[in-house]
Amino acid sequence: MYVAGYLALDASSYIYPVVPLGITPWNPSAGLSLFLLLTCGRRFWPAVLIAAVAADVVVRNATVNAPMLTTAAFITGCYVVAATFLQRSWKVSAPLESTRDLVIFFVVASAASGTVAVMFVGLYAAIGMVSMRDMPLDVLRYWVGDLNGILVLTPALFSIRKIGNIGFAIRKLVSPEIILQLLSIGAALGLILAFAGDYPYRSFYALFLPLIWISARWGLPGAAVAQVIIQLGLITCVQLADYHAATFVQLQWLMTGLCVTGLTIGAMSSHRARLELALLDRQAALNRAQQFASAGEMTSALAHQLNQPMTALNSYVGACQIMVGQPILDAARLRDLMAKIEGEVRRSSEVVARLRDFYRRGATNLCPIEAGRLVDNVIQVLHRNAQSADVEIVSRPGEWSRRLLVDTVQTENAIQNLLLNAIEAMEMAGSKTRRIETSISVTQTSVEIRIHDSGPGVSAEMMAELFEPFHTSKADGMGMGLAIARSLVRASGGDLWIEPAAAGGACFVMRLPAPTSSDVLRA
Ligand code: ADP
């Protein structure tokens, strides 16, 4: 099949030859041979040799002789070496689709076709079949013929192999844009034909425009296919206008420049498309990882946030059970306990709903509230905990009535975490003075809530990763409290940190943005 294709290409491109040798300004069979060696391997060298000899015999009616066999063997050898070198140095799995691989391809194709041209013409000049005077021009004609044959056909064959089902691809690709691109190639070729008698090179540059457009739009495969169309169109123009062979050779050198430009832009565009795809893949992988991380964090957050109301519920239900077992039922006390149970249940479901929203959309429900109310609410909830740990919670006078615009449930959760940590730290350390001081101060743009305890303070080894998840000094701790508290405060536009406390203990600062009056009105 390859030999038949070689013969067909050789016969159809046998124009402006240096008779009786096969020196033509376009030699696509060289591109076919290189493609065969690159895709099927070096072991196909006999097929390349046979095709070269067969083309001389069939197309040019040559008789098999020593110079013919020598040149055929040399040509085969050169292209086998070129293919081997290319295969070893190409790095990207899709051939030619990186600019580095493309530059190597240009250099190797030029070197191989140049060597073949010099050797081929030189040998026939040595035996007198080519005049020494014509030798340089014939070398250039052979060289540009083989070089353009490779630059035009080899990338096109790679692209066709990659596309696979050509019929399907053509049906899928037929669009007004492609028709416009083909028309623009036709128009540029028409310009060349229009200046046929005058100076055809002048209008050759018009071909750069459609090729650049196609290469940038469709990448290397688009550039490769467009080159074939342009080359065939150029040959048609040359024949219609009946140019001199020398003019065609000159046009072919311009065609080499066109191919290098088109393929380079095409490869760069394909490379960019590959990078975009890789980036999208990475992004998708990152999103998946983030989803897993959020799911894990949400689970821990839920467990952590529900721990407190569940413990309270447990003790309230226990108290109810004791009460119903008693001979005289204290209805008022029972009602009070039931109200507390209801409150804790509502609180739990709010925590679940708010946390779910927070992790799903980062949603916060901003409401205007006095800063002091936020702290007071939590102190009330933790009243029993403080009492049983013998901790006194005092509030220093300050800007307690300052209005804030925050997510109340989330901010209260964060404050609750800080207070509970302080109570537990003092209880665990067996601190003599067990006191938590809460204070509120205002800066120009924010409100700062300070929670300062008289406990042991945060140990040096905990300090570095205090707000990182899963860092805990407690046997039954999860190490999620501060991490969650900080994300909750940040979701309301604030921040949370620990500051050195000269008087000892730990001092956590929660900064919340102070809203402008228009913010409060809008809320
Ligand atoms: P957990 O309470 O589950 O350990 P946190 O993230 O809330 O998780 O706290 C992490 C650690 O920070 C605690 O284990 C404790 O060592 C330290 N810590 C937090 N608050 C205080 C505090 N007020 N005083 C001393 N250490 C604290």
Side-chain angles (χ1 to χ4, degrees), residues 304 417-426 428 451 453 455-459 462 465-474 476-484 498 505-508:
H304 190 273
N417 263 308
L418 299 179
L419 286 174
L420 264 177
N421 271 346
I423 296 171
E424 283 173 9
M426 288 185 283
M428 277 166 58
I451 294 172
D453 64 60
V458 176
S459 62
M462 282 302 300
E465 288 167 314
L466 190 63
F467 291 94
E468 295 301 316
F470 310 117
H471 281 88
T472 180
S473 61
K474 302 170 193 167
D476 57 347
M478 271 204 284
M480 284 303 297
L482 288 176
I484 294 167
I498 183 167
C507 182
F508 284 88

